Amino acid sequence: MHRMIFLSLSFSVVLGTFIVFTSSHWFFVWVGLELNTLSIISLLCGNFSPRSVESSVKYFLVQSVGAALILNVVIIQAWFCCSWDVNHSLDFVTSLLITLGLGLKLGLFPCHFWFPDVVQGVSLVSGMVLSTWQKLAPFIVLVSVVDSLSVELLVCMGVLSVLVGGWGGLNQTQVRKILAFSSVAHMGWIFATVAYSVGAASIMLLVYIIINSGVFLLASEFGVKSLSEVSRLVYISYGGSVGLALGVLSLGGLPPLLGFSVKFVSLWTLVGEGSFFPSGVLVAGSLLSLFFYLRIAFSGALMLYPQHSLAVFGWRSIGFYAGGGFTLRGFVLGLSISLSLFGLFSLPIFISAINN
């Protein structure tokens, strides 16, 4: 893809999200969502391989259905309430439709089926964009209408997403699919928390974007696509192996890393509202997710992963990963790993920010 076309499409993706963020009119919100979706689809199939085109078509169909549900809400609001205001209260039907539409766009249960297949079919950098940046626009819409949505439905979808995300990643050996199911589980945490506290959910999404971006970029930097390749990462770069282990353990919420702090904030919010049973199920689902996070960490730490002995020396054909100077990728990696190490120190800051 030509550089100018790539920059134009990337600018359109950012512009679409910015339009959604700044608009209080349903029509402009829908325009921003569509601009964001159509631009990212062109980027996903930029290398024009059969697998990426297939993933792009799946992503287009799913996002079209989600956008159609949101558009139906817009039409119903304009017809019956004569209002195009995003903050206008919704009735039972429109709240149910927009919850399903946002769940489809965010990849939540029961609309999560498409997300692992799409992430598996694109590159690691594209998978990072789908798992991080593409969650922002639907989350902004969710925050705008959360007062009109059913709290029980939000918590139920969030809890089931955490269970499905943890269970689905147990038998996976591909890093992209593991991170995709991890995204389903994390969005479940955020979806369950936003019903009670928008501030806590926003902090969780921001921290997840930072940590997850670091893990995806680190896997892309060393071409890590499966657990067997993770086991050879220590021979390529010891620092990269340690950084990947810290990143995935932080995603799993292992104390004292940063991922533990945001999950503690979520549990603190849910327990404060009296949601004891959903909190217990969320912890159980988080333990399922922690199992495959530990698989990645142990695979990077073991000297000999169960495989053919000659496969260990495949690293000799890989180029030398040494660079100098400031790069955006290096900055994101350094920020992600650094923040992961100071999880407990940030906990009082998160709690004070929510209380204020």
Side-chain angles (χ1 to χ4, degrees):
M1 181 181 295
H2 194 272
R3 180 176 298 179
M4 291 304 299
I5 298 177
F6 175 79
L7 292 176
S8 300
L9 293 173
S10 301
F11 176 76
S12 298
V13 172
V14 177
L15 179 62
T17 305
F18 183 75
I19 291 174
V20 175
F21 183 77
T22 56
S23 299
S24 59
H25 195 282
W26 272 118
F27 177 75
F28 292 107
V29 170
W30 179 75
V31 168
L33 290 173
E34 290 301 301
L35 178 62
N36 177 274
T37 300
L38 294 176
S39 301
I40 196 65
I41 288 172
S42 302
L43 292 175
L44 292 180
C45 59
N47 57 358
F48 204 72
S49 65
R51 191 66 177 88
S52 64
V53 173
E54 177 188 351
S55 298
S56 302
V57 172
K58 289 181 180 178
Y59 184 75
F60 170 73
L61 294 176
V62 171
Q63 296 299 310
S64 298
V65 175
L69 291 174
I70 296 176
L71 186 58
N72 284 330
V73 172
V74 175
I75 296 173
I76 293 173
Q77 284 290 97
W79 182 265
F80 289 101
C81 303
C82 299
S83 174
W84 292 84
D85 189 6
V86 175
N87 298 317
H88 193 277
S89 60
L90 305 174
D91 57 17
F92 175 75
V93 176
T94 53
S95 65
L96 181 61
L97 286 176
I98 200 168
T99 302
L100 292 177
L102 294 175
L104 197 59
K105 281 185 168 291
L106 291 171
L108 287 165
F109 179 88
C111 312
H112 67 285
F113 52 88
W114 62 273
F115 191 71
D117 288 336
V118 171
V119 173
Q120 179 63 26
V122 298
S123 65
L124 283 164
V125 176
S126 299
M128 178 196 70
V129 175
L130 293 179
S131 300
T132 55
W133 183 266
Q134 290 303 105
K135 307 291 187 181
L136 289 177
F139 179 77
I140 295 167
V141 179
L142 174 64
V143 169
S144 301
V145 301
V146 68
D147 293 332
S148 302
L149 304 182
S150 171
V151 174
E152 293 78 10
L153 181 59
L154 293 177
V155 174
C156 182
M157 290 180 64
V159 168
L160 291 175
S161 297
V162 172
L163 292 177
V164 169
W167 187 266
L170 290 179
N171 62 340
Q172 301 297 328
T173 59
Q174 298 296 315
V175 172
R176 281 174 291 187
K177 275 203 171 182
I178 291 176
L179 294 177
F181 281 107
S182 167
S183 178
V184 173
H186 276 87
M187 294 312 300
W189 276 90
I190 296 171
F191 215 68
T193 307
V194 76
Y196 298 108
S197 175
V198 174
S202 301
I203 291 175
M204 293 178 68
L205 181 62
L206 177 62
V207 173
Y208 167 71
I209 287 175
I210 293 175
I211 300 175
N212 197 49
S213 298
V215 174
F216 266 103
L217 288 177
L218 193 58
S220 175
E221 182 75 17
F222 297 102
V224 176
K225 297 180 181 179
S226 63
L227 291 181
S228 60
E229 293 177 352
V230 172
S231 67
R232 297 195 295 269
L233 182 58
V234 66
Y235 297 98
I236 302 172
S237 172
Y238 185 76
S241 178
V242 173
L244 184 63
L246 286 175
V248 295
L249 292 178
S250 183
L251 283 176
L254 190 70
L257 302 177
L258 186 61
F260 168 77
S261 299
V262 292
K263 289 187 177 180
F264 181 85
V265 168
S266 175
L267 291 175
W268 178 73
T269 303
L270 292 171
V271 171
E273 296 292 336
S275 298
F276 299 104
F277 179 73
S279 301
V281 179
L282 287 174
V283 172
S286 181
L287 291 177
L288 288 175
S289 301
L290 187 60
F291 175 79
F292 57 76
Y293 290 128
L294 289 173
R295 276 186 79 190
I296 298 178
F298 288 161
S299 297
L302 290 175
M303 295 302 294
L304 289 177
Y305 188 79
Q307 58 185 331
H308 196 279
S309 59
L310 295 179
V312 176
F313 300 98
W315 63 272
R316 295 185 183 273
S317 60
I318 302 176
F320 181 67
Y321 290 93
F326 176 84
T327 61
L328 179 60
R329 176 175 294 188
F331 174 75
V332 174
L333 286 173
L335 179 64
S336 172
I337 296 173
S338 300
L339 290 178
S340 296
L341 292 174
F342 299 99
L344 294 182
F345 295 101
S346 59
L347 187 59
I349 301 175
F350 292 159
I351 295 179
S352 62
I354 295 171
N355 292 331
N356 293 331

